[in-house]
Amino acid sequence: MVISTGAGTALPGPPKLKIEDVLSTNITHINSPCQFFVQDRRSVALVDMINMWGRQAESLPAEKLKAEGLIVDSSYLLKSPIDDNWYRATLIKTDFEKKAIRLYLVDFGDMLELSFSEIGNRLLTLGVRLAAFPPLALLCIWDDGIEKIGRA
């Protein structure tokens, strides 16, 4: 599928998942019945490595991050308040009125809010080595092609 930009340039459309691709993935986050994120099952080792690096970095002396120094669209290591594991996250928004930040977990597709008071204990600068890996979450939108595969 090709999408035209109207300026004479054609952009490739979203990738279509084959049934064999669907069988080797885990659903990591659901936005709606028609929109969800998947992650290749083989990426579990990388998720574990990110968590291990976060635990090691946590034990090193470092200056604590503060809301005022954070940059929107920058990547960080986040210690989840849900399970205390470390994940890669991109800062989406800093809300000074609510005294909270909103982060996108790039390897799972979901969002998380963190209060300013939690930033120093739960957020680290993401190192170059971890930033080099592409996001592991793939956005899937249920369309006619997928529905037909599901009914076959």
Side-chain angles (χ1 to χ4, degrees), residues 41-99:
R41 287 185 181 151
R42 294 168 292 192
S43 60
V44 170
L46 181 56
V47 172
D48 290 343
M49 182 180 68
I50 292 166
N51 185 40
M52 180 191 70
W53 282 357
R55 291 188 189 285
Q56 289 175 351
E58 180 180 32
S59 65
L60 299 173
E63 187 176 332
K64 299 212 180 248
L65 297 176
K66 297 178 180 155
E68 297 78 20
L70 300 179
I71 301 168
V72 172
D73 291 332
S74 291
S75 298
Y76 297 92
L77 261 179
L78 165 71
K79 185 177 185 180
S80 170
I82 297 166
D83 63 8
D84 277 342
N85 285 324
W86 288 91
Y87 301 103
R88 296 186 304 166
T90 298
L91 180 64
I92 301 299
K93 180 181 179 183
T94 301
D95 189 333
F96 288 96
E97 194 173 292
K98 285 176 60 177
K99 296 189 177 181

Side-chain angles (χ1 to χ4, degrees), residues 91-151:
L91 180 64
I92 301 299
K93 180 181 179 183
T94 301
D95 189 333
F96 288 96
E97 194 173 292
K98 285 176 60 177
K99 296 189 177 181
I101 59 172
R102 189 147 181 83
L103 298 150
Y104 169 69
L105 296 151
V106 299
D107 298 321
F108 294 90
D110 52 338
M111 302 273 191
L112 191 133
E113 196 166 276
L114 204 61
S115 70
F116 282 6
S117 63
E118 295 177 287
I119 291 172
N121 297 322
R122 297 203 172 269
L123 212 59
L124 298 172
T125 303
L126 186 66
V128 176
R129 289 167 71 190
L130 283 180
F133 293 105
L136 301 177
L138 174 65
L139 174 63
C140 296
I141 298 173
W142 201 267
D143 69 6
D144 287 340
I146 299 280
E147 287 178 32
K148 287 176 187 164
I149 291 171
R151 281 189 238 130

Side-chain angles (χ1 to χ4, degrees), residues 1-22:
M1 175 205 295
V2 175
I3 301 170
S4 173
T5 63
T9 309
L11 300 173
K16 295 282 186 180
L17 288 177
K18 298 177 194 149
I19 194 66
E20 56 270 15
D21 295 332
V22 173

